[in-house]
Structure formats: C-alpha cells, structure tokens
Amino acid sequence: MNPAKLVVGNWKMNGSAALLRAFAAAARDWPACETVVCVPHPLLPLAHAALAATPLRCGAQDCSGEDGGAYTGEVSARMIGELGGRYVIVGHAERRGGHAETDGQIVAKAQRALAAGVTPIVCIGEKAEERDGEQTALVLRRQLLQLVRVLGRDIASIVVSYEPVWAIGSGDAATPGLIDHALGVVAGILAFHAGPCARSVRLLYGGSVDPRNAGAILSRDAVAGVLVGAAAVVPEDFREICKAAARCSVMPTRDAA
Ligand code: PGA
C-alpha cells in the first residue's frame, strides 16, 4: 500500500458556481484520498468558500513569475494564496505550447508559488514526435534541470506531474508500464541532481485519466497521484477516480500524525 494518493482536478477554462455547488454537495461524503480542485482564477474565492467545510482543497491553474506590477492580465501566486488556493499548476502543456512558456519562466512561477506558501504542481512531458524519436528522457531532463538548480532544497516541497502531451485530452492514456518507466526517469534525474530531498517530491501522472483506467494507474507504487482534466468537471467521474485513489492509499491516522 502507498501513502495517501493525491488527485488534482484541472478544470481548465470550464466550470461555474453551479458546478462548485455540485462538488460541495458531493464532498460531504468524499473518498479518503487527498483531493484538490484547480479552478479558473475568478472562481477561486467561491471554490474556497464552497469547499472550506469539506476535505477538498482548491488551487489555481497558473500564476505569474512576478510578484506584482505592470503585468496586465496576470495573477500572482500571492493573490492565489490570499484567496485560499493551496496549489497552483505551472508549466501545463497548454501553456508551454499555446503561450510559448519557457522552462525559465516556469521555474520563476514555481519560485513565486513557494514564496507565497502555495504548492506548485510542475507539469512536464514529451510530445508525440519526441516520444517517437526516443527523446523522452532528454526532454524530461531539460524540463527538470533548471528547476532543480534554482530551487535547491526547496524542490522537496513541489509536486511534479508527468503529462505526456500526446496523452492530454486524447482519450489515450499512457500505459501503467510506460508511466512507471517515465516516473522512474524523473525520480532518477531528481535524485541525481537534488540528492535526498528529492525523495519528498510527489510524482503524479496526467493525461486522459478516467474512471476506467484510474485504478490501474493509481495502484502503481511510483504514482503518488493523478492530474485529471476532462473527468474533473464531471462530479461522478471525479469521485470514481478519487475512490480508486482511496483504495490505493493509506491515509495518515491521528496516532501517526
Ligand atoms: P485530460 O487533461 O485528463 O483531459 O487528458 C489532463 C490535463 O491536461 O491536465
């Protein structure tokens, strides 16, 4: 058995106050895993209020690499923390691709998040052509290296999500064997460059996780949790994934705490 698995929902540009109410109602009796719902920025205060009395926590999907100033349209990690966000996704493939974010910018975002007391969930992963060219390990190394160098020991406080770009939104999740392999590569890179503190980094998988494949993925020891997109805005599906996570988790007991 593994320690408590972490299930993170990425609502992307979806959701509403009504969906939050549905989650708050469903959360009265929630499976025993750690659960985070990353909502669009304007929904964050509502999410914080709606989920405060439930085991679910809320987070955001991106933050600025700056702390404040003339950055029209940006949202700082500090603001996210003040609005009740405990986590923030950074470096998602849809931002690396659609917004040309660089590894350096993503590291700055992770740093800002840590400084604000918000846990960054750093997404990494290869594109289909990189996989086909057997470049996966190289890509993962490139995406992690600056992060390790800049964060130093603080790396222990981050979450890393391996999300192959070809698996996101495709209905074609990576196989558990492939996930094991990729997370092994990630763990190896972190251990080599960051030493023992890398052991605390929680490693997630994301990309077409759904109620049918969640159990097989979450049962792997290498997988500390999952990052869920499409299925995260369907309360019944998200709950099923969390049930699978609970079956694979050992929640800390009061005595152990
Ligand atoms: P998906 O998205 O579950 O819809 O593939 C995952 C993600 O983008 O984080």
Side-chain angles (χ1 to χ4, degrees):
M1 279 293 239
N2 307 289
K5 302 273 181 173
L6 173 63
V7 180
V8 181
N10 175 9
W11 281 19
K12 309 196 178 186
M13 200 170 70
N14 298 299
S16 59
L19 187 65
L20 273 171
R21 283 194 292 277
F23 267 85
R28 283 195 205 109
D29 168 30
W30 197 252
C33 68
E34 279 188 60
T35 311
V36 180
V37 178
C38 290
V39 299
H41 292 132
L43 288 179
L44 197 50
L46 276 180
H48 181 53
L51 302 177
T54 79
L56 279 67
R57 294 290 160 258
C58 57
Q61 301 166 21
D62 185 36
C63 68
S64 173
E66 304 290 338
D67 191 42
Y71 301 101
T72 302
E74 295 288 290
V75 173
S76 75
R78 196 162 36 82
M79 292 168 183
I80 290 168
E82 281 171 6
L83 293 177
R86 299 268 190 90
Y87 291 80
V88 62
I89 297 168
V90 298
H92 190 279
E94 286 151 16
R95 300 217 49 101
R96 288 181 188 266
H99 300 262
E101 286 188 6
T102 63
D103 289 320
Q105 286 169 321
I106 292 159
V107 172
K109 289 170 187 235
Q111 273 187 300
R112 292 290 178 193
L114 286 170
V118 175
T119 302
I121 301 169
V122 182
C123 298
I124 56 173
E126 82 286 2
K127 299 181 188 136
E129 60 270 27
E130 292 165 336
R131 173 198 59 188
D132 297 343
E134 298 184 2
Q135 302 286 301
T136 300
L138 269 179
V139 171
L140 297 179
R141 187 170 180 280
R142 190 193 68 224
Q143 291 176 333
L144 286 170
L145 220 52
Q146 267 197 66
L147 195 68
V148 180
R149 289 203 178 124
V150 175
L151 294 189
R153 284 165 181 269
D154 289 346
I155 194 99
S157 306
I158 75 167
V159 175
V160 171
S161 187
Y162 168 61
E163 302 213 314
V165 181
W166 47 268
I168 296 173
S170 66
D172 184 21
T175 60
L178 196 119
I179 296 169
D180 264 356
H181 177 73
L183 291 185
V185 169
V186 171
I189 295 166
L190 292 177
F192 185 79
H193 294 283
C197 49
R199 278 194 226 120
S200 323
V201 179
R202 296 215 267 180
L203 303 182
L204 314 187
Y205 167 77
S208 295
V209 175
D210 63 27
R212 281 169 295 119
N213 60 27
I217 294 171
L218 282 157
S219 65
R220 312 300 281 212
D221 280 338
V223 178
V226 286
L227 180 49
V228 184
V233 285
V234 182
E236 312 80 61
D237 286 357
F238 194 58
R239 187 190 183 83
E240 283 306 310
I241 293 168
C242 289
K243 271 195 198 166
R247 283 196 294 272
C248 303
S249 296
V250 179
M251 291 297 278
T253 62
R254 210 180 277 263
D255 292 344

